[in-house]
Amino acid sequence: MLDLPFEKWTLGDALAQRVEASGDAPFIRMVGGAPLSYRELQAQVLGLAEALEREGVGPGDRVVIMGGNCLATLRCWFALNLLGAADVTINTAYRGRPLVHAINTAQARLMLVGTRQLGLLAECEGDVPLLERVLHFDDETDAPVASSPGVRFARLELAPLPAAQAPSPGWQWPGARAQDLASIIFTSGTSGPAKGVMLPHAQTYLVSLESARQLQLREDDVYYIFHPLFHMSPRYVAIYAALIAGAQVCMDRAFSAADWLPRIRACGATVSIGHGPMLEMVHAMPERPDDADNPLRRLATSPFPWHIAADFERRFGVRGLEVWGMTEVNIPLWNSLDEPLRPGCGRLISDEYEIALVDPETDLPVPDGTAGELVVRARRPWTLMQGYFGMPEATLKAWRNLWFHTGDLAWKDDAGCYHFVDRLGDRIRRRAENISSYEIEVAAMQHPSVRECAAIGVASEFASDDDVLLVVVPAPDFDAATLLAHLARRLPHFMVPRYIDTLAELPRTPTNKVRKAALRERGVQGTTWDRKAHGMDLRALVAGRS
C-alpha cells in the first residue's frame, strides 16, 4: 500500500508511485473487457493531459465532465488532475435548469461530454454563456468518435476528444500540490440549488487511503463498481483506493439487481460497494442455492439495512461493512472487518477526524445517549472540503463555529459506535441520490396549473430511502399526469415525483414559511396520486410519448 508523504498526496503522484511499484499489473477494465495496466493507463492519461494543455487547460482551471461510466470519463478525470486543473464531473441525468446551474456555477469554458449527453447540452446552449468549446467522446463503447455526432450547436465549438495515446517524448505534466483543488462534486441543496463541493487533492487522497485501509485491500483484490463516476464512492472509495493498494477495478456501466451476482462472478470480484436500497433490491431477487458460490468477501455499504443484513451476509457469503460519510467530510465512521456484524454506522477514525453531537439550534453538545446533529472537523489541513464553489453564504452556514454541520442526526452508544437517526431539514435521499426540493418546486411552478407547491421526501419501500411527494395548490384545470409529463421533461429522472397531492393551501409558519414537517407528518394519503399505480413510464414521458 502506498505510504506517501503529505506533500505528495495528489492523484498524479499516487499514480506515478504505483506505476513505479507495479506498473505492469492490471488496474482497470470494463465488465467484459480487457484490463489496462497501471503503466498503460498512465500513458493514456498523460497523452490526454498533453492534448488538453493544447486546448489551453492549465493549473487552477475548472473543466466540466459529463459522461457515463467508461474509461474515457475516467481518463478525463485523471488527466485534468495531472494538469493541476479541477474536474467538475456532473450527473449525467442533469437537464434543463439543474444542468445550466452546474455549468454556470463552475464558470468553465471547456466541457468534456459523452455523446449520449450532447442533446441535453444542445437544449440549453443559450443559457450557458461562459462555455465556449465542447469535446465529445463515446461513453458507450469507448471507441474514437467521428467529428459529426449528429447534434448541432448554434454557438459552441464542437470537436472530438483526442484519442487515447502516449504523450510526446519529453513532455512534462504540470502536477498539483496537496492543497490545490482537485475536484468539484455537486451535491443536492435543500432550500436552494445543488452545491459544488470543493475537494483538494489531500482530501481525495485521504478518503481513498482510509478506504483502502478499512477494507483491507490487497494487490490480489478485484473491486467491482457500478456507481456513476460523478459520485465520490466509486472515485475514491473504489478506484483511487484500489490504486493506492495496487488492486484491480472492474467497472460496470450501471446497476442492475438481476445482473449483480453474475457480474460479481464474471469480474472475479472480491470487494464491492453498495447503498442500502440497491442491496435490498439484490436481496429481493429469488434466492438460489448457489448464491454464496461467488468470490465476493467484503462489501462497504451506507447503510446496511438491518432487517436484511445478517441474511444478506449468509446468503451471499460476504461481510457487509456499514459506514457513514458525506462528500464534504469523507468517511469518518467505519465498522471493522475484525469485529462481528453489529448495528450502527461504526466508530470514529480518531487519528484523522473529530466528531461531536450537538443541538442543531444552539450548537451545544447534547447529553450522552441523546440524538444530536453530527458535526465534523479534520485533524490535518486540506483534508475536508474547502467550501461550496461560488456559494460563500452556504459555506459559512455549513462551517459555523469551526465545525462542519452535516444535517444528520445520530447518537453514540456505550461502545463508541454511532447510530444514524434521521436527516434534518428538507434534504431528500432517493436511491443514493441527494435531491433538492427547491429544484422540483421551481420546475413545478413553471406549469400554469400550479399556484403553489412543496416537495418533500416520504419513506419508500426501502430502508433509509425516500420517494418524492409533491404537494400542489392547484388551479382549476390541474391534472396530475399532465404536470408529471411537464416535470419529466425538465428534471433529472431521480427528481421526478412518484406522488402528487393537492391541498387548498399549504401549512405555513407565522413568518409565512411552508411547514414541511407538517407535510411530512401528513405523508401519503389514500387519495394521493401515485404515478406507479397509474402505470406512468418516465422514459416515455421524457421522450414526449405520454
Side-chain angles (χ1 to χ4, degrees):
M1 191 169 295
L2 296 181
D3 186 15
L4 302 181
F6 180 80
E7 62 271 15
K8 296 288 187 180
W9 281 18
T10 73
L11 180 58
D13 285 313
L15 179 58
Q17 288 293 316
R18 177 50 62 198
V19 169
E20 184 176 329
S22 45
D24 295 325
F27 176 33
I28 193 158
R29 62 188 170 101
M30 300 301 298
V31 170
L36 284 173
S37 70
Y38 284 98
R39 193 182 316 279
E40 289 170 330
L41 180 72
Q42 184 195 44
Q44 293 180 3
V45 166
L46 289 171
L48 179 57
E50 183 185 15
L52 293 176
E53 186 180 63
R54 290 196 297 268
E55 291 280 343
V57 179
D61 288 338
R62 296 169 302 280
V63 178
V64 174
I65 305 173
M66 189 181 188
N69 276 19
C70 67
L71 296 178
T73 301
L74 181 140
R75 284 191 292 264
C76 290
W77 156 34
F78 274 45
L80 290 170
N81 274 201
L82 265 64
L83 283 174
D87 77 282
V88 187
T89 303
I90 64 174
N91 197 316
T92 53
Y94 278 176
R95 63 186 303 145
R97 180 186 171 92
L99 176 56
V100 168
H101 166 73
I103 296 172
N104 288 342
T105 298
Q107 301 174 10
R109 65 170 188 84
L110 177 66
M111 188 168 175
L112 314 179
V113 185
T115 303
R116 291 181 295 176
Q117 283 73 46
L118 281 174
L120 298 176
L121 180 59
E123 291 175 2
C124 62
E125 178 185 10
D127 298 319
V128 288
L130 297 180
L131 192 63
E132 300 172 0
R133 186 164 166 83
V134 177
L135 303 181
H136 64 101
F137 55 91
D138 187 337
D139 55 355
E140 189 164 1
T141 67
D142 206 40
V145 298
S147 57
S148 300
V151 178
R152 295 290 179 265
F153 291 90
R155 179 184 60 83
L156 293 174
E157 297 179 13
L158 184 65
L161 184 74
Q165 58 186 16
S168 302
W171 183 79
Q172 295 292 320
W173 47 285
R177 301 172 300 172
Q179 64 265 38
D180 290 340
L181 183 63
S183 301
I184 296 176
I185 295 179
F186 278 89
T187 187
S188 107
T190 53
S191 59
K195 303 187 291 290
V197 180
M198 296 192 290
L199 293 84
H201 276 272
Q203 179 181 1
T204 64
Y205 183 90
L206 178 60
V207 65
S208 306
L209 176 65
E210 289 294 350
S211 298
R213 286 173 173 168
Q214 297 300 320
L215 284 165
Q216 300 178 11
L217 291 183
R218 303 182 301 268
E219 292 185 357
D220 59 350
D221 275 317
V222 178
Y223 212 137
Y224 171 63
I225 61 169
F226 49 78
H227 290 75
L229 292 179
F230 50 79
H231 280 304
M232 69 166 282
S233 295
R235 293 163 65 100
Y236 308 128
V237 183
I239 295 172
Y240 201 165
L243 187 156
I244 287 172
Q248 185 180 166
V249 176
C250 185
M251 182 162 57
D252 215 338
R253 298 191 184 276
F255 168 71
S256 164
D259 292 333
W260 182 81
L261 190 54
R263 296 289 171 82
I264 292 288
R265 289 170 172 152
C267 290
T270 58
V271 186
S272 190
I273 49 178
H275 284 84
M278 296 171 175
L279 301 186
E280 290 186 73
M281 293 177 198
V282 170
H283 188 262
M285 300 298 296
E287 184 169 359
R288 296 172 56 94
D290 64 345
D291 280 347
D293 183 15
N294 70 78
L296 193 66
R297 293 295 172 263
R298 285 153 285 161
L299 177 66
T301 174
S302 177
F304 197 11
W306 193 242
H307 63 289
I308 67 165
D311 193 58
F312 195 99
E313 288 193 340
R314 173 203 63 80
R315 176 176 164 184
F316 296 106
V318 65
R319 178 64 204 281
L321 198 64
E322 184 168 358
V323 306
W324 176 89
M326 296 176 66
T327 304
E328 291 91 333
V329 296
N330 307 342
I331 307 177
L333 300 178
W334 287 80
N335 275 285
S336 173
L337 287 171
D338 300 324
E339 296 179 355
L341 178 68
R342 60 187 298 164
C345 42
R347 295 188 180 93
L348 176 66
I349 301 177
S350 58
D351 56 342
E352 295 291 350
Y353 309 99
E354 293 180 78
I355 273 186
L357 296 173
V358 303
D359 184 314
E361 296 295 326
T362 66
D363 281 355
L364 295 175
V366 298
D368 291 343
T370 303
E373 182 182 8
L374 276 166
V375 294
V376 184
R377 60 189 179 194
R379 293 190 181 277
R380 72 170 91 203
W382 311 110
T383 54
L384 295 188
M385 80 116 172
Q386 297 303 294
Y388 297 115
F389 189 80
M391 296 183 174
E393 292 182 0
T395 301
L396 289 172
K397 181 179 179 181
W399 274 113
R400 66 182 184 272
N401 292 321
L402 304 181
W403 292 87
F404 179 83
H405 289 64
T406 68
D408 281 356
L409 285 173
W411 63 279
K412 184 172 70 170
D413 64 24
D414 293 339
C417 184
Y418 289 79
H419 300 258
F420 175 80
V421 176
D422 203 353
R423 288 179 288 272
L424 289 168
D426 302 327
R427 184 155 57 98
I428 304 169
R429 179 80 164 170
R430 181 179 182 273
R431 315 298 192 270
E433 296 284 0
N434 288 320
I435 296 173
S436 169
S437 59
Y438 169 84
E439 295 287 7
I440 301 170
E441 292 158 2
V442 168
M445 289 299 295
Q446 294 171 352
H447 196 273
S449 71
V450 177
R451 289 176 172 170
E452 290 185 293
C453 66
I456 60 170
V458 293
S460 74
E461 65 267 37
F462 304 112
S464 301
D465 186 67
D466 301 321
D467 278 322
V468 179
L469 166 61
L470 181 66
V471 183
V472 173
V473 177
D477 59 346
F478 176 80
D479 176 72
T482 302
L483 175 60
L484 189 76
H486 164 87
L487 295 174
R489 291 189 289 269
R490 288 163 175 80
L491 293 172
H493 65 84
F494 57 86
M495 288 188 183
V496 178
R498 172 177 175 177
Y499 301 106
I500 298 178
D501 209 344
T502 58
L503 288 176
E505 61 181 17
L506 298 176
R508 294 186 177 273
T509 67
T511 57
N512 209 37
K513 292 183 179 179
V514 176
R515 293 175 53 229
K516 290 193 173 181
L519 294 176
R520 283 190 289 269
E521 184 177 349
R522 179 176 181 271
V524 176
Q525 302 290 300
T527 56
T528 302
W529 189 87
D530 179 357
R531 65 172 164 86
K532 287 190 176 181
H534 284 77
M536 304 292 286
D537 183 86
L538 282 184
R539 290 185 178 88
L541 289 172
V542 170
R545 296 192 298 268
S546 176

